[in-house]
């Protein structure tokens, strides 16, 4: 590999920008890292980066992003650690399965299908006020008081959380995108999580999924330490900066940024 100063600088900037934005909206940022590595490989890094390697490196970078952002969110009291644990019980193991299938699965077909699914989730978020919220009785009911003193109630049952967490882990391990694309809309529309808590808790779940998934890619040899370590400083800093910026953004603006981000990612996944 060609590791000169410009290449290292590009990787640092890529990790910083993607991780900052990913931490703000709770999506992680792997959707950008994977295609960027594939595109920059031949010209900037002096080697071809295939999909499996890009996914493994992306998950490695997400470990650093989600670690610093989760720590910051925990200090601010925005992470529901108990809920994150329930999601992670299935997301961790299923991310191992997803990572083991990356080289066997046709990623292009899955990306396009998931892109259309993302567009559907965007429509749900945009028209969420016209959708009647789920009024069922959840076994676990939680309460959250925001900075304005407004108390919000949300809840869930274990089985749907485990199912959704498993889907998040499978997607994370297979595509290296974190899984927040599925997790956050579900938290908002089904379990009625407060928005800022949903983004913060999502990063905690992404940390577990990325840790397990990247470990499996490492075992399978779909890994490059130089790439991971070159992205790590920017990812660490970006995760912290993104979490700090997130607390200053209103819920209305945050949901607009999230919808715009999901729309762009969906289009990219469909047309790539």
């Amino acid at each position: 590999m060609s590791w000169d100063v410009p290449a290292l600088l590009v990787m640092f900037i890529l990790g910083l920008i993607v991780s900052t934005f990913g931490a703000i909206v709770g999506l992680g940022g792997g959707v950008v890292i994977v295609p960027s590595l594939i595109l920059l490989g031949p010209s900037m890094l002096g080697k071809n980066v295939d999909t499996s390697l890009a996914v493994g490196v992306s998950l490695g970078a997400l470990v650093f992003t989600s670690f610093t952002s989760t720590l910051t969110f925990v200090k601010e009291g925005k992470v529901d650690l108990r809920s994150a644990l329930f999601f992670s019980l299935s997301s961790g193991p299923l991310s191992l399965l997803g990572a083991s299938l990356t080289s066997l699965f046709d990623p292009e077909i899955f990306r396009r299908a998931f892109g259309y699914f993302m567009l559907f989730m965007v429509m749900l978020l945009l028209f969420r006020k016209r959708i009647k919220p789920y009024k069922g009785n959840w076994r676990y009911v939680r309460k959250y008081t925001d900075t304005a003193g407004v108390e919000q109630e949300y809840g869930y049952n274990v089985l749907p959380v485990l199912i959704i967490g498993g889907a998040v882990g499978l997607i994370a391990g297979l595509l290296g995108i974190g899984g927040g694309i599925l997790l956050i809309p579900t938290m908002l529309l089904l379990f009625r999580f407060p928005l800022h808590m949903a983004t913060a808790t999502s990063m905690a779940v992404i940390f577990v999924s990325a840790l397990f998934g990247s470990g499996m890619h490492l075992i399978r040899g779909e890994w490059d330490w130089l790439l991971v370590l070159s992205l790590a400083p920017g990812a660490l800093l970006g995760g912290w900066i993104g979490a700090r910026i997130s607390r200053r953004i209103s819920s209305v603006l945050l949901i607009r940024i999230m919808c715009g981000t999901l729309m762009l990612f969906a289009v990219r996944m469909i047309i790539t």
Side-chain angles (χ1 to χ4, degrees):
M1 297 181 64
S2 176
W3 282 106
D4 50 13
V5 173
L8 293 174
L9 183 60
V10 168
M11 291 296 102
F12 173 78
I13 294 174
L14 175 64
L16 177 63
I17 295 176
V18 171
S19 298
T20 298
F21 195 73
I24 290 175
V25 296
L27 300 179
V31 173
V32 177
I33 292 178
V34 173
S36 297
L37 290 175
I38 296 174
L39 178 64
L40 295 174
S43 59
M44 183 64 67
L45 307 178
K47 65 176 293 186
N48 290 322
V49 179
D50 61 22
T51 300
S52 297
L53 177 59
V55 169
V57 172
S58 174
L59 288 173
L62 283 176
V63 171
F64 294 98
T65 302
S66 55
F67 175 72
T68 54
S69 60
T70 299
L71 285 182
T72 304
F73 284 132
V74 167
K75 292 179 181 178
E76 296 175 356
K78 292 181 179 178
V79 179
D80 186 335
L81 292 174
R82 182 177 181 181
S83 299
L85 176 61
F86 278 130
F87 282 108
S88 299
L89 286 175
S90 56
S91 71
L94 265 294
S95 67
L96 294 174
L97 176 62
S100 66
L101 296 175
T102 301
S103 60
L104 305 177
F105 204 88
D106 186 343
E108 299 304 322
I109 296 177
F110 186 85
R111 282 196 184 94
R112 291 190 179 95
F114 195 69
Y116 286 112
F117 174 75
M118 288 168 62
L119 288 178
F120 173 69
M121 300 303 288
V122 170
M123 294 300 105
L124 289 180
L125 288 174
L126 289 175
F127 296 100
R128 70 192 185 284
K129 292 184 178 180
R130 298 184 182 181
I131 301 174
K132 294 182 179 180
Y134 180 72
K135 297 294 185 180
N137 295 320
W138 296 117
R139 179 175 181 181
Y140 295 98
V141 177
R142 313 282 285 171
K143 294 182 179 180
Y144 172 73
T145 303
D146 60 22
T147 55
V150 178
E151 186 178 77
Q152 301 180 58
E153 187 175 281
Y154 61 100
Y156 48 83
N157 290 342
V158 173
L159 182 58
V161 164
L162 292 177
I163 293 174
I164 294 167
V168 167
L170 185 65
I171 293 169
L174 185 62
L175 295 179
I177 61 175
I181 291 171
L182 171 62
L183 184 57
I184 292 179
T186 304
M187 284 179 165
L188 297 178
L189 299 172
L190 181 59
F191 302 133
R192 301 191 302 273
F193 270 67
L195 181 56
H196 283 86
M197 174 165 282
T199 58
T201 304
S202 172
M203 293 306 296
V205 179
I206 287 174
F207 173 72
V208 176
S209 300
L211 192 64
F212 277 74
S214 61
M216 176 57 72
H217 281 287
L218 176 61
I219 292 172
R220 293 175 57 85
E222 300 161 345
W223 186 265
D224 189 303
W225 280 107
L226 287 177
L227 277 175
V228 174
L229 293 178
S230 65
L231 288 166
L236 283 169
L237 183 59
W240 176 77
I241 293 175
R244 300 278 293 181
I245 293 175
S246 178
R247 69 181 182 181
R248 302 177 183 274
I249 299 177
S250 67
S251 296
V252 174
L253 179 58
L254 187 57
I255 200 70
R256 290 175 180 173
I257 294 175
M258 189 180 301
C259 287
T261 304
L262 288 173
M263 182 73 74
L264 290 174
F265 287 171
V267 171
R268 189 207 66 78
M269 296 182 77
I270 292 172
I271 67 176
T272 300

